[in-house]
Amino acid sequence: GTRTLRVDVRIIAATNRNLSQMVAEGKFREDLYYRLNVVPFVVPPLRARRDDIPELARHFAEIACAENGRRTKSFDDGALAAFDRYPWPGNVRQLQNVVRSIVVLHDGEQVTPDMIPREISIKAGAARFNLATPVIEAPQAPAKAPEPTAAVIRPLEALAGVEVRAH
């Protein structure tokens, strides 16, 4: 039909941008800003709410374990310390994905520092914790050259007409 229906709608919008600044710069419509900005609710980034990290990590582990048919994992102090030192640029979603990854990739009932992905450990200043992820190490100084064998020395002596000694 052509009948008009009255509806009561609430819109919840989220952004990580400063909309009031964008309005001032002419990059966001002012009328839309005021329509959306009825009840502003600011959630600080995870790095500003470090006390929430252990509880969120446990919550995400519980969910991931249930989804993957695994026993719920706890977190040891070293793992939580590494999580606390990491800046979490991807915010809560990144923490959720890291915990999900740990649950899927590692057995055991407790999350330990060696289970934390290498990039998290390194940026958290906790690279020494990560023993599970393979690391490409810089080549070491070459080993001492092996002593030449008689099969090498005799032909050299014959060619040069001198006695060759291995050092």
Side-chain angles (χ1 to χ4, degrees):
T2 58
R3 188 172 72 152
T4 302
L5 297 175
R6 271 189 78 81
V7 294
D8 186 9
V9 177
R10 302 290 187 261
I11 296 175
I12 298 174
T15 185
N16 62 352
R17 301 195 179 192
N18 184 337
L19 293 182
S20 60
Q21 180 182 351
M22 291 178 69
V23 166
E25 294 170 352
K27 295 179 180 176
F28 193 83
R29 284 183 27 202
E30 187 174 20
D31 65 310
L32 181 56
Y33 172 76
Y34 288 113
R35 285 181 184 263
L36 293 175
N37 196 31
V38 176
V39 180
F41 186 75
V42 177
V43 179
L46 186 56
R47 66 185 164 274
R49 298 179 292 129
R50 299 216 173 269
D51 291 344
D52 292 347
I53 293 172
E55 188 60 36
L56 286 169
R58 284 189 278 274
H59 173 72
F60 294 143
E62 190 175 302
I63 291 169
C65 287
E67 290 174 348
N68 292 282
R70 296 189 175 236
R71 291 179 133 176
T72 301
K73 294 181 185 288
S74 62
F75 290 80
D76 80 1
D77 291 341
L80 290 176
F83 279 0
D84 185 59
R85 286 190 299 269
Y86 185 70
W88 299 107
N91 234 327
V92 175
R93 179 116 30 220
Q94 183 185 16
L95 174 62
Q96 181 181 23
N97 289 339
V98 166
V99 171
R100 182 179 290 144
S101 170
I102 290 169
V103 166
V104 170
L105 297 176
H106 298 281
D107 292 325
E109 294 182 14
Q110 189 170 49
V111 175
T112 57
D114 62 307
M115 296 176 180
I116 296 172
R118 182 167 166 69
E119 62 274 9
I120 304 293
S121 295
I122 289 171
K123 288 183 181 174
R128 70 182 187 282
F129 291 143
N130 195 340
L131 306 173
T133 304
V135 176
I136 298 172
E137 295 183 5
Q140 296 180 359
K144 183 179 174 187
E147 296 292 327
T149 63
V152 172
I153 292 174
R154 278 192 207 109
L156 289 174
E157 288 176 337
L159 286 172
V162 294
E163 185 178 320
V164 178
R165 292 190 183 173
H167 294 78

